[in-house]
């Protein structure tokens, strides 16, 4: 599904005619595109469905902010050291118990801890290039509405229409609580698709021996989260 198709269908869902002048629309194509991009980012964040493997240069430090190197970084899935051995995930507390002076230890990396948004702590320090497989965020959708292009969302094709559900909910936030609350069934459909793919990714990541998996959202009280956000 192309960006134009998504924009047109979203405009139609919120009651706008995608064929009239932009000045006559209540929601502009730019607003719709922003909502679709936000929906895709949320979908990918919840499912960890996109990944990549890249070389990362260790420079002898014990801590690295990964977003400074990889702007699409979400979470590490697998790290290997320069000898090809797996670097095991740990908590910072585990590293302190293993070695009270762990930030100063040098040698082949054997463990790592991922904290905050992107802070990667490495035990042990070295200078080397190592491969890191990580879950990544999607490439931003762009459009020159009403012209079309070949770009499509990066999530699997069967889930791309679900971005429209989420985009409608996000757009309706400017209409006030009463109108916004009418869209919550669409958010429920979006989240059901999220959990469907997240379950498949969990199984895949377990088979691959990855260190991270999507959060099990069906264990969270999403209605309470939405109510707090809306309030």
């Amino acid at each position: 599904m192309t960006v134009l198709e998504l924009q047109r269908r979203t405009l139609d869902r919120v009651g706008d005619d995608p064929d009239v002048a932009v000045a006559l629309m209540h929601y502009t194509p730019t607003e719709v595109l922003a909502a679709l991009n936000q929906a895709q980012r949320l979908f990918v964040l919840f499912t960890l469905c996109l990944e990549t493997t890249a070389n990362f240069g260790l420079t002898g430090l014990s801590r690295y902010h990964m977003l400074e190197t990889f702007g699409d970084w979400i979470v590490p899935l697998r790290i290997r050291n320069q000898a090809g051995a797996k670097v095991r995930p740990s908590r910072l507390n585990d590293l302190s118990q293993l070695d009270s002076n762990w930030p100063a230890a040098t040698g082949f990396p054997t463990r790592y801890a991922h904290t905050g948004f992107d802070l990667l702590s490495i035990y042990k320090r070295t200078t080397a290039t190592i491969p890191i497989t990580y879950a990544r965020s999607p490439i931003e959708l762009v459009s020159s509405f009403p012209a079309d292009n070949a770009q499509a969302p990066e999530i699997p094709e069967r889930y791309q229409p679900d971005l429209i559900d989420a985009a409608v909910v996000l757009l309706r936030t400017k209409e006030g609580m009463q109108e916004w609350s009418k869209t919550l069934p669409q958010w429920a459909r979006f989240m059901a698709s999220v959990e469907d793919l997240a379950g498949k990714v969990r199984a895949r990541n377990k088979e691959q021996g990855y260190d991270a998996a999507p959060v099990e959202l069906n264990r969270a009280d999403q209605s309470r989260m939405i109510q707090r956000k809306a309030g």
Side-chain angles (χ1 to χ4, degrees):
M1 183 175 291
T2 67
V3 179
L4 178 62
E5 290 174 308
L6 286 167
Q7 284 178 292
R8 291 180 64 86
R9 289 178 59 176
T10 304
L11 284 166
D12 184 65
R13 286 272 295 275
V14 294
D16 270 323
D17 185 346
D19 293 315
V20 302
V22 172
L24 299 177
M25 295 178 181
H26 182 65
Y27 295 98
T28 68
T30 300
E31 287 180 297
V32 170
L33 183 64
L36 288 166
N37 270 309
Q38 186 176 356
Q40 184 174 212
R41 287 194 297 269
L42 288 171
F43 194 97
V44 172
L45 178 64
F46 290 149
T47 63
L48 304 184
C49 63
L50 301 179
E51 66 176 69
T52 192
T53 298
N55 289 326
F56 180 65
L58 299 175
T59 57
L61 302 176
S62 60
R63 293 182 176 91
Y64 301 87
H65 282 286
M66 301 306 291
L67 284 170
E68 294 178 357
T69 302
F70 305 120
D72 56 358
W73 175 273
I74 296 179
V75 67
L77 298 174
R78 182 171 58 205
I79 299 177
R80 297 191 183 278
N81 63 25
Q82 61 269 45
K86 183 175 180 178
V87 181
R88 296 169 53 193
S90 299
R91 297 172 300 178
L92 288 176
N93 188 52
D94 296 332
L95 298 183
S96 296
Q97 292 181 355
L98 178 68
D99 184 344
S100 60
N101 195 33
W102 71 266
T106 59
F108 280 69
T110 57
R111 299 196 183 204
Y112 75 88
H114 186 253
T115 52
F117 288 106
D118 70 330
L119 185 61
L120 188 72
S121 300
I122 296 289
Y123 176 78
K124 303 170 180 176
R125 295 189 296 117
T126 190
T127 301
T129 298
I130 62 172
I132 296 181
T133 299
Y134 64 93
R136 66 172 178 86
S137 57
I139 296 173
E140 184 175 359
L141 299 172
V142 297
S143 173
S144 54
F145 189 94
D148 200 3
N149 62 43
Q151 188 189 18
E154 291 193 273
I155 65 174
E157 185 175 2
R158 62 165 292 188
Y159 298 103
Q160 291 174 12
D162 298 305
L163 298 180
I164 299 171
D165 276 328
V168 169
V169 178
L170 295 169
L171 288 166
R172 289 295 192 194
T173 56
K174 76 175 186 179
E175 301 296 329
M177 174 66 76
Q178 185 173 1
E179 289 300 316
W180 177 80
S181 63
K182 296 176 183 178
T183 67
L184 293 184
Q186 297 174 63
W187 184 259
R189 289 199 301 267
F190 172 73
M191 294 305 295
S193 292
V194 163
E195 186 53 40
D196 179 70
L197 182 57
K200 298 173 183 176
V201 173
R202 281 187 213 101
R204 181 196 68 188
N205 287 9
K206 182 178 181 180
E207 182 178 346
Q208 294 286 342
Y210 285 168
D211 301 331
V215 175
E216 295 193 33
L217 295 169
N218 58 0
R219 294 185 178 182
D221 188 345
Q222 295 178 34
S223 65
R224 290 175 64 87
M225 289 191 294
I226 292 173
Q227 287 168 6
R228 285 197 294 269
K229 181 177 180 181

